[in-house]
Amino acid sequence: MSYSRQSMGSGSRSTRGYEFGRTYVVRPKGKHQATIVWLHGLGDNGSSSSQLLESLPLPNIKWICPTAPSRPVSLLGGFPCTAWFDVGEISEDLHDDIEGLDASAAHIANLLSTEPTDVKVGIGGFSMGAAIALYSTTCYALGRYGNGLPYTINLRATVGLSGWLPGWRSLRSKIESSNEAARRAASIPVILAHGTSDDVVPYRFGETSAQALAMAGFRQVMFKQYEGLGHYTVPKEMNEVVHWLASRLGLEGSR
């Protein structure tokens, strides 16, 4: 493995005092053109993400793979595990943990804040990681976090695999209330992918998320359906992500 390990230290506590875990970095093998923060699913860590991303043929991308804080999770009856925010049962009535979402979105923004200005930055993730990636994307469009503080990262691409969009019901009215938010929403490419046999985050949540983004004015949303795929990734899906990122970010040697 040619990735290096970094520990984020004391600047990485969320508002509730949960400490974010270790961050793993996969350095670009070619010219550094883009940096993407990749977010793992519930109970996982940044190390497993880095091993998957290391194998992708994207030599111009630097991958940053943080580890979520360990916290009690309502879905697991309060059992603690790594989670970007608290979550209950995935349903239409899902309550959004805005405080937890904001804390993780701010941690991710902080990881991207020191990237060179000529490097394009993006966010991607799987399952709960996809949810926080999509939430961060809505913060980018709105120019602020859920708590009203300014969001200052200029995102250029978002990838969401087997996830869902927190706050999808109210997104359209928020975006439509600001010309600047509408402009940013229209500018960012988003790819969502979901398996039809997902028994953890049901397929309809991926589909609903894509529709909610499109209706809110995110004009560059691509939704990929994978017949028979459960709650995991497969090489075909990752290959599509590779080609999409190379095309959308204009990476060298990616034809």
Side-chain angles (χ1 to χ4, degrees), residues 172-192:
R172 182 177 180 178
S173 61
K174 290 178 180 176
I175 297 288
E176 288 179 344
S177 67
S178 162
N179 289 335
E180 186 61 22
R183 184 193 66 77
R184 281 193 292 259
S187 74
I188 184 167
V190 179
I191 185 170
L192 302 182

Side-chain angles (χ1 to χ4, degrees), residues 44-87:
D44 209 342
N45 59 65
S47 176
S48 57
S49 298
S50 68
Q51 292 173 52
L52 167 68
L53 300 166
E54 165 101 59
S55 67
L56 299 182
L58 288 167
N60 305 114
I61 293 183
K62 170 186 173 182
W63 300 94
I64 301 177
C65 306
T67 300
S70 182
R71 68 174 76 212
V73 177
S74 297
L75 179 65
L76 307 176
F79 185 82
C81 73
T82 52
W84 299 109
F85 51 94
D86 188 30
V87 65

